């Protein structure tokens, strides 16, 4: 908050300081990140002091520029979002750097998020009937101007609901969105494809062995059932009380006791040891009848110490989770804090175990699983709850009367459960056996030591879950190795089984719905027109058509005209689409101008018929479809952009020439004369018409070649030249003069061909050399050159009226007659002018 | 339950304009049929998820413009397909004749490993039939393809055809997938993998823009 003060000082009295929250909300990978902007008038102490001013989604139309990234200075960034711009000043420092890098990250990652988020919001919104509208930020780019402002208002308002909806989303892992959607839906519809059957017998046993080695067979304990159980979950406590076991968690007892268990399992079935886990002296083994092994999956084991310092393994729990058919089952063996007065400590241990013991999931993107998330929880162990408020004699008397019911009322665990202080939701069967603690080792005699402990039901078995019935719950007095007696219970548990047919059907239904949503969310537009025809396209005459694109999809979309294979640009050079890429909000539309303009660089191929007014544009939507847009049209050939050589072979106006002739003329080499016997013209008749017109009408025209003509008049002159052989040309002198310049400029091969350009430069200082070069020109080019030079010299004779001089004319015409095949630099330009000046002075002629 | 993973394939519908490519796609993905013919001018696609041998196979089906004048452009999409439907109309001898041309284009432009299937659509229009089933069978045999006569109108053989091609593509890529299966537990995007390869041999890399992964 101190940063706000610093910024505040730089502001005028009326100005508000805007703090940019450094927490960039990335609530869900599929939503845009957003910047929350808060305002406050004074030092913000409580939440009432700040108000949420605006939320800027870092969406596709978000942009930001870092203005002044100088060390030690405030960082100024300019944020633009839709039509709005915002300048933020951030204090120099790591906070700001962090913020910027977060924004950057969110910004660069934003486009990838487009395709699926809509689906996401739909799913999330379905079960929640609240008024808030999660997908507002996503659609907020819809519409323009005022409406966007309104929606932003909604955004701000909706933000107050965020805590609740954040929790919903945060629970979702980042990746495998589709998988998760399917998983969630499957879970929700579990009833449709699972049925409860297969009641299975779970044998549970717990035994605090007081650090002893197995000295006697465990058969009386583990073989107490008539039929072989389906599963064995056997837990031990105080397996080893040595320092080595405590500090190094290493003990030979593990193997010894496991062996003892294995040997004592029911002989009428074969069992597989699925998992074993031990934390110091707390050990849990899990056996399954062979025939069920294939239905056991996702087995994980974890442990949590709650002993010394709340961490060590002298107390705590071990747990094994697994999936049996479609039920998730968790077995916990715990050894809770000792001593009669420590029952609250035991309650705390239970809570710690529940919160700290977490299983990692097979899918690393899934959140860790806690004990309470399981369908069935079986909890065994030396829970260490004692009998209180009764002295030892009373206890022993009740025991001798087998009045366990009365005694049970003094049991701490019972009392704590009744108070809902521990084991909430757990069930324990009726205790019909005498306390299992504390005996003199090797006997059935109560503790005769000095401490003379009050007997207690330390060793217990509880469960939580539906469809569980207890078959027996008993202690086993025959075993005398320890100061505890082992306890066992047989639980008949209903297991959810999957009906694979129904599962498949449910799965397919879910997938179908997701597919459907996904297909609906593929960006889509409608085009008002997909074929465009441009009639009578002429040289230098602009034509345009409007392509309207309407976003009829369910998501905003990004469009772009893309290249076709083997083409460098998305369209022919005489065509442009404006804009050629952009963004359309949902239900929004964009008008694209398709413009045809034939200039000197494209005219030549169109004149000769090598190119046509024909093209197909590919309009691509990001993450979506491609649309083809056809362009067609006819081009009216023009003398502008046609070679001197071709024009010399045309006695008729170019538009009266058959297209084949035009094509053939181009193929002809400049030196070769057409197969047709007719002698070519000395110079193009169009050139003659323009020059002659000027000679007759404009020889004294002031500022001739210096003033621009009129566009419309140029069009008339062009049409005139291309369609007929008139006696005079329309338009003003200036327009005709400009037409002449345009004509020279548009020649595909300049009057001085590219091949001779270099030679011209080299001989520019020598008049006779220059003449020599000109004599090397193809005949028709030479004629044009000489004809033009002669005309210009005539003009110069009238320089008093037309105010021309050699310099001006050389500058204008050299650049048209002598063109460089590459880019021309200034010195070259000077040389071309020097070259041409020789032909403008009378001397040589 | 065994870990599921996703595979993404790209399948392409090819054939003359009017043989019913768009209708096949709509029937398959949305179970809808629209009898009026609106030419696809461009390239459209839809997604569908199938469960094949316990593997979730997501297929992206591309529907292309059949008109001849667009073919130079649509050919660029072949390269990115793992499977191709060659579709003709049993009431149009001409569309059947053209299968040869479509097939040779596929040979030229599609990846070598591409799987093909021959589809004679509009099998419900018995009265107008011009191409006998045997002709289709024979042609398919000559090309070593599977063959189905379908009707988007009556929904005959639609799922079968699409599933068969998807199965073939899956089988053809099985080796690669098994290798990947060991190490990858996220979605295996075969299409994207091949896309990357494609970009390497196409220095321009412009195709990246027009891809959908």
């Amino acid at each position: 908050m101190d940063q706000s003060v610093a910024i505040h000082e730089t502001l005028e009295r009326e100005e508000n300081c805007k703090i940019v929250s450094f927490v960039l909300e990335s609530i869900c990978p599929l939503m845009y990140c957003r910047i929350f902007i808060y305002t406050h008038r004074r030092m913000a102490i409580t939440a009432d002091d700040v108000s949420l001013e605006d939320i800027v989604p870092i969406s596709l139309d978000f942009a930001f520029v870092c203005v002044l990234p100088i060390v030690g200075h405030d960082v100024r960034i300019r944020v633009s979002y839709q039509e709005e711009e915002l300048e933020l000043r951030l204090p120099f420092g790591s906070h700001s750097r962090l913020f910027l890098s977060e924004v950057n990250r969110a910004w660069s990652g934003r486009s990838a998020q487009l395709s699926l988020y809509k689906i996401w919001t739909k799913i999330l919104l379905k079960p929640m009937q609240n008024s808030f509208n999660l997908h507002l930020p996503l659609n907020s780019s819809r519409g323009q101007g005022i409406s966007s402002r309104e929606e932003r208002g909604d955004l701000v308002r909706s933000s107050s609901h965020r805590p609740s909806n954040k929790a919903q989303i945060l629970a979702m892992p980042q990746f495998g969105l589709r998988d998760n959607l399917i998983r969630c839906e499957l879970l929700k519809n579990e009833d449709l494809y699972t049925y409860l059957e297969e009641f299975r017998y779970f044998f549970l046993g717990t035994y605090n062995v007081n650090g002893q080695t197995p000295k006697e067979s465990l058969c009386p304990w583990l073989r107490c059932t008539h039929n072989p159980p389906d599963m064995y979950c056997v837990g031990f406590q105080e397996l080893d009380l040595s320092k080595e076991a405590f500090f190094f968690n290493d003990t030979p007892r593990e193997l010894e006791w496991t062996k003892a268990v294995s040997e004592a399992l029911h002989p009428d079935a074969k069992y597989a040891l699925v998992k074993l886990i031990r934390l110091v002296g707390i050990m849990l083994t899990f056996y399954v009848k062979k025939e069920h092994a294939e239905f056991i999956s996702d087995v994980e084991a974890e442990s949590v110490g709650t002993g010394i310092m709340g961490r060590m393994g002298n107390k705590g729990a071990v747990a094994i989770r697994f999936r049996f058919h479609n039920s998730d089952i968790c077995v916990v063996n715990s050894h809770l804090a000792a001593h009669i007065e420590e029952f609250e400590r035991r309650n705390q241990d239970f809570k710690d175990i529940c919160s700290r013991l977490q299983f990692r999931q097979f899918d690393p993107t899934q959140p860790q699983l806690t004990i309470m998330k399981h369908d069935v929880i079986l909890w065994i162990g030396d829970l260490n709850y004692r009998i209180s408020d009764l002295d030892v004699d009373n206890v022993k008397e009740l025991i001798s009367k087998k009045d366990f019911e009365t005694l049970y009322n003094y049991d701490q665990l019972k009392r704590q459960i009744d108070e809902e202080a521990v084991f909430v939701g757990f069930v324990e069967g009726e205790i019909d056996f005498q306390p299992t603690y504390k005996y003199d080792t090797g006997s059935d005699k109560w503790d005769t030591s000095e401490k003379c402990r009050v007997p207690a039901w330390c060793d217990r078995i509880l469960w939580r879950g539906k469809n569980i019935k207890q078959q027996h719950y008993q202690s086993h007095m025959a075993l005398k190795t320890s100061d505890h007696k082992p306890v066992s219970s047989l639980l008949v548990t209903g297991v959810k089984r999957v009906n694979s047919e129904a599962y498949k059907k449910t799965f397919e239904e879910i997938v179908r719905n997701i597919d459907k949503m996904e297909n609906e969310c593929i960006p889509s537009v409608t085009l008002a027109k997909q074929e465009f025809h441009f009639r009578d396209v002429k040289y230098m005459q602009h034509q345009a058509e409007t392509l309207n694109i309407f976003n009829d999809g369910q998501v905003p979309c990004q469009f772009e005209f893309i290249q076709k294979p083997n083409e460098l640009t998305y369209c022919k050079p005489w065509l442009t689409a404006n804009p050629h890429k952009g963004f359309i909000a949902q239900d929004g539309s964009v008008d694209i101008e398709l413009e045809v303009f034939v200039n000197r660089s494209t005219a030549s191929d169109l004149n000769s018929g090598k190119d046509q007014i024909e093209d197909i544009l590919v309009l691509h939507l990001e993450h979506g479809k491609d649309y083809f847009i056809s362009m067609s049209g006819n081009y009216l050939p023009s003398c502008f952009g046609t070679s001197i050589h071709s024009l010399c072979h045309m006695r008729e106006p170019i538009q009266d020439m058959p297209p084949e002739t035009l094509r053939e003329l181009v193929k002809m080499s400049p030196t070769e004369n057409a197969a047709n016997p007719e002698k070519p013209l000395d110079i193009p008749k169009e050139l003659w018409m323009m020059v002659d017109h000027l000679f007759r009408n404009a020889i004294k025209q002031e500022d001739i070649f210096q003033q621009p003509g009129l566009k419309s008049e140029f069009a008339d002159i062009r049409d005139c030249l291309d369609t007929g052989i008139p006696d005079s040309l329309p338009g003003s002198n200036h327009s005709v003069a400009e037409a002449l310049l345009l004509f020279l400029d548009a020649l595909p091969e300049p009057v001085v061909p590219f091949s001779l350009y270099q030679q011209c430069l080299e001989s520019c200082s020598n008049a006779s050399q220059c003449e020599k070069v000109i004599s090397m020109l193809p005949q028709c080019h030479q004629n044009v050159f000489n004809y033009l030079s002669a005309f210009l010299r005539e003009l110069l004779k009238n320089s008093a009226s037309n105010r021309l001089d050699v310099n001006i004319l050389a500058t204008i015409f050299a650049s048209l007659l002598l063109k460089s095949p590459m880019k021309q630099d200034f010195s070259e330009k000077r040389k071309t002018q020097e070259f041409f000046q020789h032909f403008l002075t009378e001397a040589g002629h | 339950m065994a870990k599921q993973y996703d595979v993404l394939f790209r399948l392409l519908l090819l054939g003359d304009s009017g043989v019913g490519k768009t209708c096949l796609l709509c029937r398959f993905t949305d179970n809808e049929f629209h009898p009026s013919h609106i030419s696809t001018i461009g390239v459209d696609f839809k997604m569908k998820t199938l469960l094949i041998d316990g593997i979730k196979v997501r297929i992206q089906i591309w529907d292309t413009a059949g008109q001849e004048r667009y073919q130079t452009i649509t050919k660029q999409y072949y390269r990115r397909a793992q499977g191709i439907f060659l579709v003709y109309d049993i009431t149009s001898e001409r569309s059947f004749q053209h299968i040869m041309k479509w097939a040779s284009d596929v040979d030229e432009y599609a990846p070598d490993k591409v799987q093909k299937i021959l589809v004679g659509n509009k099998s419900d229009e018995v009265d107008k039939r011009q191409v006998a089933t045997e002709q289709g069978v024979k042609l398919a045999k000559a090309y070593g393809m599977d063959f189905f006569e379908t009707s988007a109108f009556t929904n005959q053989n639609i799922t079968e055809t699409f599933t068969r091609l998807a199965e073939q593509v899956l089988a053809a890529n099985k080796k690669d997938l098994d290798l990947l299966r060991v190490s990858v537990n996220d979605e295996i995007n075969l299409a994207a993998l091949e896309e990357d390869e494609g970009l390497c041999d196409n220095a321009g890399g412009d195709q990246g823009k027009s891809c959908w992964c």
Side-chain angles (χ1 to χ4, degrees):
Chain A
M1 284 303 162
D2 51 340
Q3 291 156 336
S4 73
V5 181
I7 299 168
H8 218 141
E9 282 172 7
T10 70
L11 299 178
E12 296 294 325
R13 186 180 283 262
E14 267 85 39
E15 282 184 300
N16 269 354
C17 157
K18 290 193 175 186
I19 281 283
V20 177
S21 157
F22 287 122
V23 185
L24 212 73
E25 295 284 355
S26 80
I27 44 172
C28 167
L30 294 171
M31 314 265 295
Y32 292 128
C33 292
R34 292 170 284 184
I35 303 175
F36 291 76
I37 298 166
Y38 289 88
T39 54
H40 58 95
R41 245 165 293 139
R42 58 180 179 84
M43 270 280 275
I45 298 155
T46 69
D48 292 338
D49 297 331
V50 294
S51 58
L52 186 52
E53 173 77 6
D54 210 341
I55 298 174
V56 180
I58 303 178
S59 58
L60 287 167
D61 47 359
F62 171 91
F64 84 105
V65 186
C66 204
V67 186
L68 244 189
I70 299 172
V71 177
H73 284 70
D74 280 357
V75 182
R76 286 164 58 201
I77 60 169
R78 210 168 280 149
V79 171
S80 65
Y81 168 68
Q82 292 191 12
E83 277 91 23
E84 300 206 25
E85 276 214 6
L86 207 68
E87 191 174 281
L88 308 171
R89 288 180 72 166
L90 308 178
F92 182 79
S94 59
H95 278 310
S96 302
R97 246 193 347 263
L98 184 71
F99 173 74
L100 285 176
S101 75
E102 286 293 321
V103 172
N104 213 351
R105 203 167 53 86
W107 192 45
S108 49
R110 76 210 188 284
S111 55
Q113 302 158 353
L114 207 76
S115 64
L116 275 168
Y117 62 69
K118 184 81 181 196
I119 300 172
W120 193 240
T121 55
K122 273 189 176 171
I123 296 252
L124 282 177
L125 286 174
K126 228 193 295 174
M128 300 187 287
Q129 296 304 313
N130 299 353
S131 60
F132 66 78
N133 199 341
L134 235 182
H135 66 246
L136 259 173
L138 308 167
N139 283 352
S140 62
S141 42
R142 163 210 315 231
Q144 283 100 28
I146 292 168
S147 72
S148 82
R149 187 64 244 182
E150 267 172 33
E151 292 202 7
R152 216 97 66 85
D154 280 344
L155 246 169
V156 173
R157 278 195 293 284
S158 70
S159 68
S160 59
H161 296 282
R162 288 205 55 258
S164 60
N165 93 45
K166 190 162 141 190
Q168 276 270 358
I169 304 162
L170 273 179
M172 304 301 171
Q174 272 190 314
F175 305 104
L177 170 81
R178 254 187 88 88
D179 274 354
N180 285 327
L181 281 181
I182 294 172
R183 212 174 348 232
C184 289
E185 291 289 307
L186 275 174
L187 208 63
K188 225 162 64 188
N189 296 303
E190 201 182 38
D191 294 345
L192 293 176
Y193 59 87
T194 55
Y195 58 98
L196 201 69
E197 220 197 52
E198 297 282 323
F199 285 89
R200 294 296 170 196
Y201 292 89
F202 281 67
F203 182 97
L204 303 168
T206 175
Y207 193 8
N208 182 324
V209 296
N210 194 25
Q212 305 296 313
T213 54
K215 295 182 186 112
E216 51 194 350
S217 163
L218 301 179
C219 289
W221 175 36
L222 301 178
R223 273 189 204 175
C224 65
T225 59
H226 182 259
N227 292 318
D230 294 295
M231 322 263 167
Y232 271 102
C233 306
V234 182
F236 294 94
Q237 303 84 32
E238 299 192 359
L239 206 66
D240 191 335
L241 297 170
S242 69
K243 282 194 185 70
E244 289 76 12
F246 182 62
F247 288 111
F248 307 111
N249 198 17
D250 185 28
T251 170
R253 300 286 153 74
E254 179 177 308
L255 197 65
E256 292 163 19
W257 282 101
T258 310
K259 195 162 161 274
V261 171
S262 296
E263 284 165 358
L265 298 177
H266 206 288
D268 295 349
K270 287 205 158 183
Y271 292 94
L273 175 62
V274 177
K275 194 87 190 171
L276 179 153
I277 181 163
R278 186 176 59 80
L279 173 72
V280 190
I282 312 166
M283 179 168 95
L284 179 62
T285 55
F286 169 46
Y287 293 83
V288 64
K289 222 173 171 178
K290 275 248 164 84
E291 66 212 62
H292 298 310
E294 60 174 311
F295 303 111
I296 302 267
S297 67
D298 299 8
V299 182
E300 288 289 337
E302 281 298 337
S303 64
V304 154
T306 59
I308 301 159
M309 300 186 300
R311 296 276 151 186
M312 299 305 275
N314 59 328
K315 292 286 185 301
V318 295
I320 294 170
R321 62 135 291 145
F322 56 93
R323 173 168 264 251
F324 183 46
H325 290 287
N326 218 44
S327 290
D328 284 313
I329 299 170
C330 182
V331 188
V332 186
N333 172 22
S334 70
H335 191 188
L336 306 184
H339 306 298
I340 188 157
E341 65 284 0
E342 290 287 356
F343 63 90
E344 278 177 335
R345 172 78 230 166
R346 290 188 271 281
N347 294 352
Q348 188 57 49
D349 284 353
F350 170 83
K351 286 190 189 106
D352 285 353
I353 291 164
C354 288
S355 64
R356 282 171 47 206
L357 198 142
Q358 296 191 330
F359 300 100
R360 79 193 160 81
Q361 300 230 51
F362 194 83
D363 181 347
T365 62
Q366 291 288 297
Q368 299 214 317
L369 214 54
T370 56
I371 294 170
M372 291 303 172
K373 289 262 173 69
H374 291 78
D375 298 322
V376 173
I377 304 162
L378 308 171
W379 198 299
I380 63 175
D382 179 357
L383 308 185
N384 253 328
Y385 286 93
R386 308 299 170 90
I387 287 163
S388 49
D389 304 331
L390 271 183
D391 60 37
V392 69
D393 297 331
N394 284 335
V395 171
K396 285 180 180 167
E397 195 192 326
L398 283 171
I399 292 169
S400 64
K401 285 197 281 185
K402 291 202 183 295
D403 187 1
F404 300 131
E405 211 180 318
T406 310
L407 188 62
Y408 185 55
N409 286 325
Y410 297 92
D411 176 60
Q412 287 177 333
L413 181 58
K414 179 210 182 303
R415 289 178 173 185
Q416 292 304 305
I417 290 177
D418 287 350
E419 284 176 29
E420 297 193 344
V422 78
F423 283 102
V424 177
F426 280 79
V427 184
E428 187 185 21
E430 190 192 330
I431 299 179
D432 195 24
F433 52 86
Q434 67 181 52
T436 52
Y437 177 76
K438 176 179 185 173
Y439 298 91
D440 284 344
T441 306
S443 74
D444 290 341
K445 267 187 269 165
W446 297 115
D447 180 24
T448 52
S449 69
E450 270 170 48
K451 286 183 189 164
C452 190
R453 307 246 191 214
V454 183
W457 284 302
C458 286
D459 308 284
R460 311 289 276 264
I461 291 171
L462 297 92
W463 69 89
R464 198 176 108 139
K466 288 181 194 145
N467 305 300
I468 300 170
K469 283 203 182 74
Q470 195 167 48
Q471 290 264 315
H472 82 238
Y473 189 21
Q474 63 187 75
S475 66
H476 301 272
M477 298 300 286
L479 288 147
K480 298 180 170 56
T481 311
S482 168
D483 57 350
H484 286 251
K485 299 290 176 191
V487 170
S488 75
S489 173
L490 189 67
L491 298 180
V492 191
T493 306
V495 172
K496 280 186 279 185
R497 285 200 68 168
V498 174
N499 176 332
S500 55
E501 270 304 300
Y503 176 82
K504 201 173 166 221
K505 226 176 116 192
T506 313
F507 177 83
E508 281 172 355
E509 180 66 31
I510 291 166
V511 164
R512 192 159 38 239
N513 282 331
I514 293 176
D515 280 349
K516 192 161 174 256
M517 277 188 280
E518 192 172 354
N519 283 330
E520 282 168 1
C521 292
I522 294 173
S524 164
V525 295
T526 41
L527 306 181
K529 237 170 122 181
Q530 271 186 289
E531 299 204 25
F532 291 87
H533 190 81
F534 294 90
R535 261 192 68 196
D536 295 345
V537 177
K538 291 175 184 173
Y539 179 73
M540 292 262 274
Q541 188 155 304
H542 179 271
Q543 279 199 36
E545 293 262 3
T546 305
L547 164 64
N548 177 270
I549 309 180
F550 172 70
N551 183 351
D552 63 353
Q554 302 201 3
V555 286
C557 72
Q558 189 91 26
F559 71 86
E560 182 174 3
F561 289 97
I562 56 165
Q563 287 119 296
K564 297 181 283 292
N566 312 321
E567 285 180 26
L568 293 171
T569 52
Y570 66 86
C571 66
K572 294 272 183 72
W574 40 262
L575 181 67
T576 46
N578 192 20
H580 77 280
K581 61 177 175 182
F583 175 85
I584 317 177
Q586 198 186 349
D587 295 325
S589 73
V590 161
D591 280 341
I592 292 174
E593 291 294 307
L594 298 169
E595 298 167 349
V596 172
F597 187 74
V598 177
N599 59 17
R600 63 186 172 97
S601 56
T602 50
S604 159
D605 282 350
L606 286 165
N607 284 334
S608 65
K610 216 172 124 191
D611 191 10
Q612 253 113 46
I613 301 290
E614 251 178 40
D615 200 3
I616 296 171
L617 301 188
V618 182
L619 178 70
H620 172 69
L621 303 184
E622 200 175 334
H623 304 309
K625 316 173 186 185
D626 290 352
Y627 299 82
F628 299 159
I629 297 149
S630 311
M631 305 286 145
S632 60
N634 67 304
Y635 178 70
L636 298 175
S638 173
C639 61
F640 291 87
T642 300
S643 72
I644 294 173
H645 174 260
S646 295
L647 289 172
C648 285
H649 283 85
M650 293 180 207
R651 288 174 180 272
E652 306 296 319
I654 190 165
Q655 288 182 15
D656 292 348
M657 300 297 289
E660 312 83 66
T661 315
L662 292 176
R663 270 197 295 278
E664 278 162 26
L665 280 173
V666 173
K667 284 183 211 145
M668 235 183 343
S669 84
T671 46
E672 161 190 9
N673 271 335
N676 87 55
E678 234 169 55
K679 191 178 165 291
L681 301 168
D682 289 337
I683 59 165
K685 57 191 181 309
E686 294 83 359
L687 179 72
W688 175 79
M689 276 192 279
M690 287 186 281
V691 171
D692 185 58
H693 181 100
L694 292 172
F695 184 70
R696 281 189 283 119
N697 303 308
I699 200 89
K700 294 191 161 129
Q701 175 74 49
E702 197 178 312
D703 290 337
I704 189 76
F705 292 119
Q706 304 246 68
Q707 263 199 21
L710 290 172
K711 226 180 192 168
S712 60
E713 288 181 357
F714 167 74
D716 293 340
I717 295 165
R718 175 199 59 209
D719 291 351
C720 210
L721 291 172
D722 291 341
T723 55
I725 307 178
D727 295 331
S728 74
L729 290 170
S732 69
N733 287 338
H734 291 303
S735 294
V736 176
E738 189 174 0
L740 173 62
L741 299 181
L742 286 170
F743 175 86
L744 294 171
D745 189 39
L747 288 172
E749 181 82 29
V751 178
V752 176
F754 290 124
S755 55
L756 291 171
Y757 175 75
Q758 203 55 41
Q759 239 170 302
C760 291
L761 295 184
E762 284 157 14
S763 48
C764 70
S765 52
N766 183 324
S768 63
Q769 282 292 324
C770 292
E771 295 228 18
K772 217 168 157 188
V773 177
I774 292 305
S775 69
M776 290 157 70
L777 261 52
Q779 193 55 52
C780 53
H781 283 247
Q782 212 179 109
N783 296 344
V784 168
F785 187 88
N786 290 331
Y787 180 67
L788 279 172
S789 308
F791 166 64
L792 296 178
R793 287 195 300 273
E794 284 304 312
L795 279 180
L796 286 171
K797 285 179 190 163
N798 293 285
S799 56
S801 326
N802 58 31
R803 304 205 296 201
L804 289 171
D805 61 36
V806 173
N807 253 329
I808 296 171
L809 287 180
T811 312
I812 298 170
F813 280 87
S815 67
L816 298 171
L817 302 178
L818 289 99
K819 285 192 187 172
S820 165
M822 264 92 70
K823 210 173 141 35
Q824 205 173 30
D825 68 22
F826 187 70
S827 74
E828 278 185 25
K829 218 174 192 121
R830 293 297 301 269
K831 283 181 182 171
T832 60
Q833 286 162 14
E834 195 183 345
F835 178 93
F836 191 54
Q837 275 185 10
H838 296 302
F839 300 90
L840 293 177
T841 49
E842 282 298 335
H845 298 266
Chain B
M1 210 170 297
K3 167 69 189 165
Q4 292 170 339
Y5 63 93
D6 283 9
V7 189
L8 177 64
F9 289 146
R10 226 178 248 139
L11 308 180
L12 203 63
L13 285 155
L14 295 184
D16 279 7
S17 178
V19 298
K21 297 181 294 298
T22 307
C23 286
L24 287 171
L25 181 57
C26 279
R27 175 59 88 182
F28 179 58
T29 57
D30 305 332
N31 201 16
E32 283 170 9
F33 182 77
H34 310 285
S36 63
H37 176 62
I38 303 162
S39 277
T40 306
I41 305 176
V43 178
D44 198 351
F45 71 86
K46 283 182 191 290
M47 303 293 302
K48 177 90 178 175
T49 308
L50 297 174
L51 198 58
I52 300 173
D53 296 339
I55 295 171
K56 257 184 283 155
V57 179
R58 300 182 61 211
I59 53 178
Q60 196 179 74
I61 310 149
W62 293 68
D63 179 20
T64 59
Q67 289 173 42
E68 197 164 349
R69 59 171 161 162
Y70 300 118
Q71 281 168 24
T72 45
I73 305 173
T74 49
K75 276 172 195 162
Q76 76 162 313
Y77 295 85
Y78 297 8
R79 196 175 57 77
R80 287 181 261 146
Q82 283 88 35
I84 287 178
F85 300 94
L86 293 169
V87 189
Y88 67 90
D89 171 0
I90 63 144
T91 71
S92 160
E93 173 70 29
R94 198 181 144 80
S95 73
F96 181 67
Q97 300 293 343
H98 282 169
I99 289 294
M100 307 243 271
K101 186 195 69 67
W102 288 107
S104 75
D105 280 355
V106 166
D107 286 343
E108 191 174 343
Y109 292 98
D112 294 342
K113 218 164 57 170
V114 75
Q115 300 295 306
K116 288 162 286 185
I117 197 164
L118 185 64
V119 181
N121 193 30
K122 306 194 188 175
S123 63
D124 55 289
E125 294 193 31
V126 202
D127 299 342
K128 295 196 211 152
R129 183 188 279 273
Q130 288 184 3
V131 186
T133 308
E134 296 73 47
Q135 285 176 273
V137 173
K138 211 175 138 194
L139 185 67
K141 205 173 164 192
Y143 281 119
M145 294 186 241
D146 275 356
F147 171 62
F148 283 96
E149 280 196 350
T150 61
S151 165
F153 179 58
T154 64
N155 203 1
Q156 186 210 347
N157 274 342
I158 302 294
T159 314
E160 289 81 350
T161 308
F162 281 86
T163 310
R164 174 66 62 86
L165 186 57
E167 282 168 356
Q168 285 178 10
V169 173
L170 192 66
N173 294 284
K174 194 86 185 161
K175 228 181 182 173
D176 299 340
L177 289 174
D178 286 343
L179 279 176
L180 284 167
R181 191 174 202 171
V182 185
S183 57
V184 179
N185 51 21
D186 287 328
E187 177 174 293
I188 297 170
N189 188 334
L190 190 73
L193 285 174
E194 301 206 342
E195 192 70 43
D196 291 343
E197 286 168 27
L199 283 175
C200 297
D201 49 42
N202 182 322
D206 304 310
Q207 269 69 17
K209 279 184 192 162
S210 48
C211 85
W212 197 99
C213 318

